[in-house]
Amino acid sequence: MGDGDGGVGRRTFLAAMSGGGAVAGAGAAGAASAVGRDGPARRGGLLGLLGHEDEIRALIARMTVTEKLGQLQQLAWTGATGPGGSQTAAAEEAARKGELGSVLNIIGARNSNALQRIAVEESRLGIPLLFGLDVIHGFWTTFPIPLAQAASFDPEVARVDGEVSAKEARSHGTHWTFAPMMDVTHEPRWGRIAESCGEDPYLTAVFAAAKTRGYQGDDLSAPDRVAACAKHFVAYGGAEGGRDYNTVDVSESRLRNLYLPPFKAALDAGCATVMASFNTLSGIPAHANGHTLTEILKEDWEFEGLVVSDWNGVGELLPHGFAADGAEAGRIALNAGVDMEMVSTHLADHGAELLAAGRIKEDRLDDAVARVLRVKYALGLFAQPYVDESAVVEVPTAAARKAAREAAARSTVLLKNEGGVLPIAAGTAVAVVGPFADSRDMQGTWAGPGGEKFPPVSVLAGIRDAAGRGAKVTYGVGATERADLIVVVVGEGAKLSGEAASRSDLGLPGGQEGLIAAVAATGKPFVVVLLNGRPLTIGNWLESAPAVLEAWHPGIEGGNAIADVLYGKVNPGGKLPASFPRDVGQLPVHYNHENTGRPYDPASPGNTFITGYLDVDRTPQFPFGYGLSYTTFEIGTPRASVARIAAADLRRGETFEVEVPVRNTGDREGDEVVQLYLHDPVATLVQPVRRLRGFERVTLGVGERKTVRFTLGAADIGFWTNAVDGRFVVEPGKIELFAGASSAARERCGVVVE
Ligand code: NOJ
């Protein structure tokens, strides 16, 4: 890298190229004011992040450069999720010298108090350390993986997970979780889809906000709350080929319409921190990206919290080929907007010389330090740096287990149920087979410390319990002959999804498809229960299976929750948060794609000059939003409260309502997710054929009706253009609205924007 600063933002760069002044972000303000900036005026205003500015200024004034740089350093206590290992000894020494801001992966009240004592009692200024940990879907009590939670279409599931996790984790000394992950992705090959909410920015945004509220509550200093971290900033889910850490080349409009909305939603919900992502973004590594980290996040969105690098993310500017050496990597990352360096130590190692040479500015250094201190103050660490060792949550409580069981059951998606095989009638002789039938490998990727310590209830155990005493439940293939019904439990182990766990084949691994064929050959009715961390290709055997239940990696109470659903105690109501492809060769296949100039036209099926493949259907096996129930529902035509509305009024904040009638037409109580999709058929930027803009999961008794109401405004109707300074437009023209039980919804109405 030459003399130029990698941290330069795109706007500043363009302005310099054109010889003009800075391109004013304010150009977007007119359009964006009603939508893009409708959160709290300053993000940090939430949760008391800005409540200690005088103390912070005074403290910074007393700090040496080395102490300041120390605040920007995070070291790993144990464990590794990348190059480098534990830095325990270095962390203790740095804490003693007052040259450390944070430690990740330290667990346990006593351990964390011991280290904290060194920082607070032995260092010159006694600044407390911030302890971070990946508490992704549970600390002791493992909830279903985030992808599963998204399938519930019930943000309360994510909020409750956040709340339970925060309580358990904070009692063990954790102040800060590296969650929620909110990377929208169209790539089921990408293992990290398991940690995500799937393919839709709106669903992801709703869940990101709910999980943030669950972790943080109203007061970060409470002994049962942790700071959340919106990650990974940004567009990590766009990894080419679904290969982890891979290149992302993204237009400004796609960045803003697809990848950024969940981050904005999380910050509006008060999220205190953000983590940079491993990918490049149109050639600029996210850790070096001043456009995203500074111009958008810190300037446009006025984020006052802290930006942490990912594990060795600053160091990775070297292999990316963006920095020649560590000093350059540190300089570029800080100037781009990274405030804290995880694991690699380039800023701490070279910051003083960079400052002396004028390559980094004291203002920016102080700003980064202030952001770290802000989070520490908000967490109440200056007032109470230690955790109460007598108040540690030792085990998953009964209430936490109950919440995890409900979450897992609400996350299941019934993909098929022919001939009413499910629910299983009382007294049915059941054989449970398959490699995951009595397996503990159902906690999923990123299970917290509880993943090992508190093993989950297996499907077999859950079924035995649900079937009750005297019922015939047998285990193993040899037992199938005597059974009335076979439950085949198959899937992929936790290690096959998550970080650095991309797959090129999305079929069931091992001989599991053969097992399903063998079960089908018995001629007995059977149910396939899937335990997996991503959409799978299931076309090879789907036709042979009378019923299929997608249960994902369901966590600690998985077996009980699955049995609740199989036996009808819970009527499944989840929906797919990501399309299930027919074949890997179709990828990407997702509902929110744009139309080509030659879209498929059902009116002329003979026309072959259309976009698609010769050897596979153009549609997914199951679309986004799809899922069945043991009952049936009818969703009626949506009705908008206005036929026409002025774009100017929308921009000023006016909204309108869309009513959607829904009725339970079956013979038992159940849940339906009423979904509202929007399409702008003619625009100055080609629009997705559908965009989810509202959903509500409702429970209806037999014959019961309800009218679900959605409120739409400029944020729903408009879109971000390709302008680098962020231009959100609401254009005149007709808007189509579709309501239904999946993204294939057909009931429609229209509104004209004038
Ligand atoms: C790398 C992962 O990308 C990130 O999600 C995680 O929080 C860090 N490692 C810390 O473990």
Side-chain angles (χ1 to χ4, degrees):
M1 176 97 209
D3 233 26
D5 197 319
V8 73
R10 263 199 235 180
R11 275 176 219 157
T12 326
F13 176 72
L14 290 180
M17 294 294 283
S18 66
V23 179
S33 58
V35 284
R37 300 168 185 196
D38 55 352
R42 284 160 72 86
R43 307 291 140 229
L46 285 162
L47 298 162
L49 267 192
L50 291 179
H52 299 271
E53 294 305 289
D54 292 344
E55 289 123 292
I56 289 169
R57 251 190 308 274
L59 187 51
I60 290 176
R62 294 172 56 210
M63 292 168 80
T64 64
V65 167
T66 318
E67 284 166 340
K68 289 179 186 178
L69 291 165
Q71 283 303 308
L72 310 190
Q73 181 67 59
Q74 181 182 64
L75 294 176
W77 194 250
T78 58
T81 64
S86 76
Q87 299 167 309
T88 315
E92 266 186 24
E93 195 190 323
R96 191 163 284 118
K97 291 203 262 179
E99 293 172 9
L100 186 62
S102 174
V103 168
L104 82 153
N105 292 349
I106 183 164
I107 302 174
R110 202 171 328 129
N111 286 345
S112 51
N113 276 349
L115 182 60
Q116 189 72 297
R117 214 161 277 124
I118 294 176
V120 171
E121 293 172 18
E122 299 184 39
S123 74
R124 189 178 77 91
L125 293 172
I127 300 174
L129 296 167
L130 183 58
F131 296 134
L133 184 70
D134 290 288
V135 186
I136 310 290
H137 53 109
F139 182 87
W140 283 153
T141 311
T142 309
F143 276 69
I145 55 169
L147 186 66
Q149 295 187 28
S152 73
F153 275 67
D154 176 5
E156 190 59 8
V157 164
R159 196 196 61 76
V160 169
D161 166 9
E163 194 165 80
V164 171
S165 298
K167 191 173 189 164
E168 293 177 352
R170 185 91 190 234
S171 86
H172 286 270
T174 299
H175 309 128
W176 179 23
T177 177
F178 304 124
M181 191 270 218
M182 53 195 73
D183 298 312
V184 175
T185 186
H186 291 156
E187 257 304 348
R189 287 175 292 184
W190 191 46
R192 301 200 83 166
I193 194 172
E195 297 173 51
S196 84
C197 289
E199 74 187 36
D200 181 70
Y202 180 86
L203 181 69
T204 304
V206 171
F207 271 74
K211 191 87 176 260
T212 299
R213 281 192 286 268
Y215 286 129
Q216 298 195 160
D218 297 326
D219 177 7
L220 277 181
S221 70
D224 56 357
R225 297 295 180 182
V226 294
C229 182
K231 76 184 189 186
H232 306 83
F233 202 73
V234 56
Y236 187 25
E240 285 181 0
R243 293 196 291 282
D244 208 358
Y245 317 121
N246 208 12
T247 305
V248 178
D249 199 325
V250 73
S251 65
E252 189 74 21
S253 59
R254 188 164 287 191
L255 173 69
R256 290 178 183 268
N257 291 312
L258 189 70
Y259 295 114
L260 283 173
F263 289 90
K264 181 66 167 53
L267 299 183
D268 283 347
C271 192
T273 76
V274 170
M275 183 187 291
S277 55
F278 283 131
N279 54 290
T280 57
L281 251 140
S282 310
I284 311 290
H287 284 75
N289 207 307
H291 178 55
T292 48
L293 291 176
T294 297
E295 289 179 347
I296 294 178
L297 179 65
K298 292 182 174 176
E299 292 174 7
D300 291 356
W301 294 358
E302 300 174 327
F303 175 65
E304 303 286 3
L306 102 87
V307 175
V308 65
S309 84
D310 202 340
W311 181 288
N312 194 42
V314 177
E316 288 175 20
L317 294 180
L318 277 75
H320 269 307
F322 202 76
D325 53 35
E328 212 168 67
R331 167 176 67 79
I332 290 170
L334 183 74
N335 289 345
V338 172
D339 301 308
M340 179 179 276
E341 183 173 358
M342 183 190 289
V343 173
S344 57
T345 59
H346 300 304
L347 267 172
D349 292 347
H350 306 287
E353 92 215 30
L354 288 169
L355 191 67
R359 311 303 304 275
I360 59 175
K361 301 269 178 286
E362 187 127 28
D363 277 5
R364 171 66 191 112
L365 177 60
D366 287 357
D367 167 57
V369 175
R371 289 168 182 275
V372 174
L373 296 179
R374 230 169 249 153
V375 174
K376 293 184 177 183
Y377 269 107
L379 282 159
L381 300 184
F382 284 89
Q384 178 47 280
Y386 306 113
V387 61
D388 181 352
E389 290 177 28
S390 68
V392 163
V393 180
E394 306 275 8
V395 295
T397 63
R401 278 185 172 274
K402 182 167 177 279
R405 180 170 179 165
E406 280 169 13
R410 281 179 90 66
S411 301
T412 59
V413 183
L414 185 63
L415 296 177
K416 185 176 175 187
N417 191 21
E418 247 171 36
V421 176
L422 290 176
I424 303 172
T428 306
V430 175
V432 189
V433 306
F436 290 90
D438 197 23
S439 167
R440 293 177 159 194
D441 190 357
M442 56 200 296
Q443 304 274 51
T445 185
W446 276 132
E452 283 288 310
K453 193 160 177 182
F454 301 107
V457 178
S458 75
V459 177
L460 178 64
I463 287 181
R464 282 201 167 122
D465 200 42
R469 245 182 257 133
K472 275 173 271 155
V473 175
T474 45
Y475 171 54
V477 178
T480 55
E481 272 175 20
R482 280 161 282 135
D484 303 326
L485 176 84
I486 304 165
V487 177
V488 192
V489 192
V490 289
E492 38 169 29
K495 287 204 163 69
L496 291 191
S497 59
E499 188 176 350
S502 298
R503 292 183 65 203
S504 67
D505 174 358
L506 300 185
L508 286 167
Q512 296 183 93
E513 293 190 356
L515 171 67
I516 295 174
V519 169
T522 66
K524 302 219 169 180
F526 69 99
V527 180
V528 175
V529 174
L530 290 169
L531 303 182
N532 47 295
R534 58 154 61 78
L536 296 173
T537 50
I538 62 176
N540 286 345
W541 50 267
L542 180 62
E543 210 156 306
S544 74
V548 182
L549 182 71
E550 175 56 80
W552 316 103
H553 287 143
I556 189 167
E557 284 288 324
N560 284 333
I562 289 167
D564 287 344
V565 173
L566 293 177
Y567 282 86
K569 192 169 148 200
V570 173
N571 191 345
K575 302 281 181 172
L576 293 180
S579 305
F580 270 41
R582 292 175 191 276
D583 190 280
V584 168
Q586 279 183 309
L587 296 176
V589 60
H590 50 98
Y591 91 94
N592 44 2
H593 62 86
E594 294 162 13
N595 255 343
T596 66
R598 294 186 174 190
Y600 175 74
D601 178 4
S604 45
N607 180 9
T608 52
F609 290 91
I610 53 158
T611 209
Y613 298 96
L614 291 176
D615 49 1
V616 65
D617 195 278
R618 84 208 144 80
T619 59
Q621 187 82 60
F622 294 112
F624 174 87
Y626 170 86
L628 304 171
S629 162
Y630 296 152
T631 184
T632 51
F633 296 91
E634 194 180 86
I635 295 181
T637 310
R639 240 192 35 204
S641 59
V642 296
R644 320 179 77 80
I645 188 162
D649 290 341
L650 284 167
R651 277 191 222 106
R652 271 195 293 274
E654 203 161 294
T655 58
F656 62 93
E657 284 207 342
V658 182
E659 290 185 352
V660 182
V662 54
R663 185 165 66 98
N664 182 341
T665 51
D667 57 5
R668 63 168 64 213
E669 184 186 276
D671 284 11
E672 180 57 292
V673 179
V674 179
Q675 302 165 45
L676 185 73
Y677 294 87
L678 183 145
H679 179 218
D680 180 348
V682 183
T684 55
L685 191 77
V686 171
Q687 291 295 298
V689 294
R690 303 245 161 130
R691 290 194 281 131
L692 182 70
R693 292 315 302 177
F695 64 87
E696 190 176 327
R697 182 166 174 162
V698 295
T699 304
L700 296 177
V702 177
E704 197 182 342
R705 296 168 189 271
K706 190 171 175 181
T707 300
V708 177
R709 287 187 179 77
F710 300 102
T711 302
L712 298 186
D716 305 290
I717 288 168
F719 54 86
W720 294 93
T721 71
N722 275 310
V724 289
D725 57 346
R727 227 167 281 273
F728 190 89
V729 294
V730 180
E731 295 184 340
K734 189 175 168 207
I735 295 296
E736 297 168 343
L737 297 164
F738 298 86
S742 81
S743 55
R746 287 183 176 281
E747 296 293 333
R748 60 200 277 177
C749 69
V751 169
V752 175
V753 178
E754 300 174 319

